[in-house]
Amino acid sequence: MMKQAWAMIEQLANRKYVPYISVFPAGTVNLVAKELLLKADPHKWFKRVSKGIEVPVYLGRANGNVFLTVAGIGFDSLVVDKVTEKEKKLLNKLAYVWQGTEIMRKEFLFNNWRYRFQVRFDDEEQWYDATSVIVGKSRYYAGRYNLFNGASLSSPLLHAALFTGDKRGDFIRYAACIAMEALTLDNDIIIRAAKKMEIRCNEENFAAELDGDAVTTAPLLIEMESEPIKFLA
């Protein structure tokens, strides 16, 4: 259902016409509704939305594709790309845990992580090296984790975490930092905020994920829309 909602928003945004929008938090984890504090009770949701309170929400675009909450390339996007629709239906969230375990086993069996990314912010001269990248445009990541101070749907900024280690132990440590919502405790993680990001990869067409779906590939150009759309919340 959320795929259809985001597709509708993208088509309207491409036509420079976006009416007032609201989302009802049903089905899969809805980070937009969660951040806007919308209730899953239909009566409470309708009562709140009917008040007509406007909340500005800035859209992000990655290679022209709209996203509202998060983008990523690296370990997480590889997991998202490998999870099949059948696995999602049968295992729900466990499908991602299963695929993550399989990727850890296959990719780190005899070697370190072999994928490399270079990231540039706001047309600066410097490119940063990374082994995985998470770009947050919302308060939440993966349903529950609050990774970036100041990240908000109503903020016109992208918040990025660049993970730089390439060993199995590094990735296990990064997972712990995410679970503890403590990225700043690890000096191997670079945190930056920007309005524009460019990401290139040592492997052509490496999958990137937007809002939980693999919909585009590297190289990536990620930018913020200059004007927000209006959500009723």
Side-chain angles (χ1 to χ4, degrees):
M1 183 64 182
M2 292 313 301
K3 287 184 181 180
Q4 291 90 329
W6 292 174
M8 178 192 72
I9 292 172
E10 181 170 359
Q11 290 300 315
L12 291 171
N14 288 340
R15 291 169 171 77
K16 305 299 181 184
Y17 172 72
V18 182
Y20 291 101
I21 297 170
S22 189
V23 288
F24 180 75
T28 56
V29 174
N30 187 334
L31 301 186
V32 174
K34 183 176 181 179
E35 179 162 337
L36 297 178
L37 302 178
L38 293 171
K39 303 296 184 182
D41 180 282
H43 299 290
K44 292 181 179 178
W45 174 84
F46 180 79
K47 183 178 180 180
R48 178 165 176 172
V49 170
S50 63
K51 294 179 180 178
I53 299 173
E54 299 177 12
V55 177
V57 173
Y58 284 87
L59 301 177
R61 284 188 183 268
N63 293 350
N65 300 283
V66 165
F67 69 98
L68 276 81
T69 59
V70 67
I73 190 164
F75 187 86
D76 64 334
S77 66
L78 193 58
V79 171
V80 169
D81 190 44
K82 296 295 184 183
V83 171
T84 65
E85 290 298 325
K86 184 177 181 180
E87 288 172 339
K88 289 180 186 179
K89 290 180 181 178
L90 291 175
L91 300 175
N92 202 345
K93 295 180 185 178
L94 289 178
Y96 298 94
V97 177
W98 167 258
Q99 278 295 347
T101 303
E102 284 295 290
I103 289 173
M104 285 288 288
R105 181 180 64 83
K106 293 176 182 178
E107 294 291 340
F108 292 101
L109 184 59
F110 299 111
N111 300 292
N112 294 332
W113 184 252
R114 57 195 171 98
Y115 305 109
R116 297 290 185 274
F117 304 94
Q118 289 187 311
V119 185
R120 181 165 74 164
F121 300 96
D122 290 332
D123 296 316
E124 296 174 357
E125 291 187 8
Q126 182 176 359
W127 288 82
Y128 295 84
D129 294 324
T131 52
S132 279
V133 182
I134 294 175
V135 182
K137 218 199 67 53
S138 165
R139 184 176 303 163
Y140 298 106
Y141 168 77
R144 57 177 291 187
Y145 303 111
N146 190 342
L147 297 188
F148 302 106
N149 291 329
S152 167
L153 292 171
S154 297
S155 169
L157 288 176
L158 301 163
H159 294 259
L162 279 56
F163 303 88
T164 59
D166 62 359
K167 298 178 177 61
R168 178 195 291 264
D170 295 327
F171 279 70
I172 293 173
R173 192 174 73 251
Y174 298 153
C177 288
I178 290 172
M180 294 187 299
E181 301 179 347
L183 298 186
T184 56
L185 295 182
D186 195 316
N187 292 330
D188 285 347
I189 303 174
I190 300 169
I191 308 292
R192 284 288 304 268
K195 288 192 174 183
K196 176 183 177 181
M197 293 177 60
E198 297 165 82
I199 304 175
R200 55 197 187 193
C201 180
N202 64 339
E203 179 165 309
E204 189 176 357
N205 297 325
F206 191 97
E209 66 100 356
L210 307 177
D211 292 333
D213 291 301
V215 296
T216 190
T217 60
L220 290 175
L221 172 60
I222 305 177
E223 297 179 290
M224 296 295 298
E225 292 275 77
S226 59
E227 297 295 329
I229 60 176
K230 299 295 180 63
F231 269 69
L232 295 180

